[in-house]
Amino acid sequence: MSTTAELLKGASDLFPDEVVTQAHVRHLDLPFGAGRFALITLDNGLDHTKPTTFGPASLANLNTALDQVEKEAAAGEIVGVGITGKPFIFAVGADLKGVELLKRHEDALAIGKGGHEVFKRLSALAVPTFAYYNGAAMGGGVEVGLHCEYRTVSKALPAFSLPEVFLGLVPGWGGCTLLPNLIGADKAVSVIIENSLNQNKQLKGQQVFDLGIADALFEGADFLEQSLIWTANVLKGEIEVERPVIDRGEAWDQAVAKGRFIADSKVHGAAPAAYRALDIIAAAKNGDLQQGYDAEDKALADLIMGGELRAGIYAFNLVQKRGKRPAGAPDKNLARPVTKVGVVGAGLMASQLALLFLRRLEVPVVLTDIDQERVDKGVGYVHAEIDKLLGKGRINQDKANRLKALVTGVLDKAEGFADADFVIEAVFEEIGVKQQVFAEVEAVAPAHAILATNTSSLSVSEMASKLKNPERVVGFHFFNPVAVLPLLEIVRGEQTDDASLATAFAVAKKLKKTAVLVKDAPAFVVNRILTRFMGEIQNVIDEGTPVEVAEKAVEPLGLPMSPLVLLELVGPAIGLHVSETLNEAFPDRFKVSPNLKAVVEAGKRGFYVYSTESGPAKPELDPEVAALLKQGDTVLTEEQVRARVLDAVAQEIGLMLDEGVVAEAQDIDLCLITGAGWPFHLGGITPYLDREGVSERVNGKKFLAPGVASVPA
């Protein structure tokens, strides 16, 4: 049997570039004469922008620190041991860069065992142990604290989570076993499954305390000092920490069942991590910790060697890294300053854009429209949203007043845009209307002003073609709801110059959007792929496959919503318009569905009505829509539908890459994750198509190189 040190040494050899965390031990005398205390501080020597992580060498350093305090505790030289982090950061878990490098199941198993063997030593010490969550704590950072006897948390702590399931792992260093035994299965399922699958939702310090994960809560300013005073009182018996009795009966089973329901509704069985975590939580009911740790080790190793985690890490890296350094963006020094923004249109989309520019840029924003009533409504919407932010305490009264004063509305474009640096249009999606708007704006806006269009499918080059200065027109395509979806497709027209494009990217960054450079091709990226995807679903329905079979066929992808629910959200009329645009461009691949046309002409908002008779609202095919549908007699199975849809998507992505719509397959995935909410566990879409063999079947090759979003050979 390998010792912990040998395990970690072996793992460390596989990961030479680890950013190593030190575990510094210092001694101090606790207040009130409570005795000599050893405090371990986790610190990688870098500032808070490079959070502390646990790779193999970091775990080995903690192990060495524990060797020292274990001897001191056994010799009676200390009365307790505490563990805390550097300023603003406690620790954010395993180092994922190392996980990506693992090629063998036994190496993955060693990482799980190594973490357990080190962390378990905290609970085995001869003196009480304390974790002081002073800053951000995630994954293994949370888990090292769970192995301690007591925990305190800072009110200023901004982010606390067990995000493993979100990435395709399980909390594998004690999280699945210890947390339910500390706070009960129901709350543990919320933290491990629900929050994780809810876009990796974070807890704040107060919530950590309210859940019972921490025993005491202190202000951030003197957090460590207050924690040590509290520690002294605990050790002297002045404070007794009481914890609730855990219900190990039916409530435990119900919590696990609730977790399975949440996992089913989010990933439809398509991703294994949540289910593996729930199996461990279910087994933890008997309180046998070692059995739980062994199960965590096995689950961790299995998942590390599976495609879902690799796709999850790939997706995470796309959003965190590629999303912040867009491929093909021009030199940022070419960007011009933007001190005033104009918005053409005052409808819902235009008003959402005005609010976003106002909040992020904090410069004057002026809306125009064809009549005063619309202008007033647009400005009113922005004011009402600012009042909501004020009501929630997100901004103070002074900021609210300042923001409201910055937004105005006028009818006369000359008055509104004469000194604007950036004008964006969000008017009706028709090329003639857009060309007219841009001609009017060009006549009154300064020569340097960027003219941006929020078109979802029309040609930016054609829109600019009749202008004197077409080089300053750029596509700036947002996704609805604007406040929620991070993607911004930045479209370079045939004439767009580098300075205009650089300014667009600089504005996108200030708006905190994930910008991806796309070529001026029909429907750009997300709408082209979604229209092909939805179009194929629509085709099989038109040919004769029942609606529910077509919808259920793509459930194994674990998408955020079914295709027809998405159509309802987008609006059938918009869906039809985009499919008509793409049909003009690529008639052989994009059909215009007569059934969808009939639904739009009948004024229907979607295919479904929602019945609330038996609990939550369930979609049911609207009888009026069913009466409109004219179907053929070709009925496909779910498997056949899924194959048709995936083949179509793989073909379209292959063609888009050949056309140079984006730089690489990675940009397609980044667009689908940030613009359409496609799951991290798919890695967007291309890793999934590669993994399922669809890419090779359709295009004769994989989209990604071996080892990218997959286990290295």
Side-chain angles (χ1 to χ4, degrees), residues 619-631:
E620 289 172 7
L621 190 61
D622 182 340
E624 291 177 20
V625 170
L628 292 171
L629 295 183
K630 292 189 168 56
Q631 291 180 282

Side-chain angles (χ1 to χ4, degrees), residues 429 434 454-458 477 489 522-524 527 574 577-578:
E429 193 74 346
K434 305 252 192 204
N454 182 45
T455 182
S456 57
S457 61
L458 299 174
H477 180 219
E489 290 178 337
F524 317 126
N527 284 345
I574 293 173
H577 176 76
V578 177

Side-chain angles (χ1 to χ4, degrees), residues 507-669:
V507 169
K509 191 171 183 182
K510 281 193 175 152
L511 294 175
K512 298 191 176 166
K513 292 295 179 188
T514 300
V516 175
L517 179 62
V518 302
K519 188 177 156 185
D520 187 16
F524 317 126
V525 178
V526 173
N527 284 345
R528 180 161 162 187
I529 292 170
L530 287 186
T531 305
R532 187 77 202 271
F533 173 80
M534 311 261 284
E536 212 51 52
I537 297 273
Q538 196 69 60
N539 290 345
V540 299
I541 292 171
D542 292 352
E543 289 164 20
T545 299
V547 169
E548 60 275 15
V549 174
E551 284 265 85
K552 228 171 147 30
V554 291
E555 263 188 10
L557 293 174
L559 299 177
M561 60 189 77
S562 77
L564 293 181
V565 173
L566 175 63
L567 182 69
E568 200 168 299
L569 186 74
V570 170
I574 293 173
L576 179 65
H577 176 76
V578 177
S579 72
E580 286 169 344
T581 303
L582 282 159
N583 172 257
E584 281 171 38
F586 312 115
D588 55 327
R589 301 194 309 281
F590 289 87
K591 295 190 176 82
V592 177
S593 162
N595 281 321
L596 179 57
K597 216 170 188 167
V599 167
V600 172
E601 282 166 3
K604 285 292 182 185
R605 295 187 53 188
F607 276 62
Y608 291 130
V609 286
Y610 290 84
S611 149
T612 50
E613 274 173 29
S614 54
K618 280 209 169 75
E620 289 172 7
L621 190 61
D622 182 340
E624 291 177 20
V625 170
L628 292 171
L629 295 183
K630 292 189 168 56
Q631 291 180 282
D633 49 16
T634 306
V635 179
L636 302 182
T637 64
E638 284 177 29
E639 288 72 26
Q640 289 169 320
V641 173
R642 189 159 57 248
R644 272 256 311 254
V645 171
L646 292 176
D647 284 6
V649 170
Q651 182 194 28
E652 204 58 41
I653 293 171
L655 291 165
M656 288 165 73
L657 292 171
D658 291 346
E659 290 166 30
V661 174
V662 288
E664 291 182 287
Q666 280 87 336
D667 293 313
I668 300 263
D669 293 319

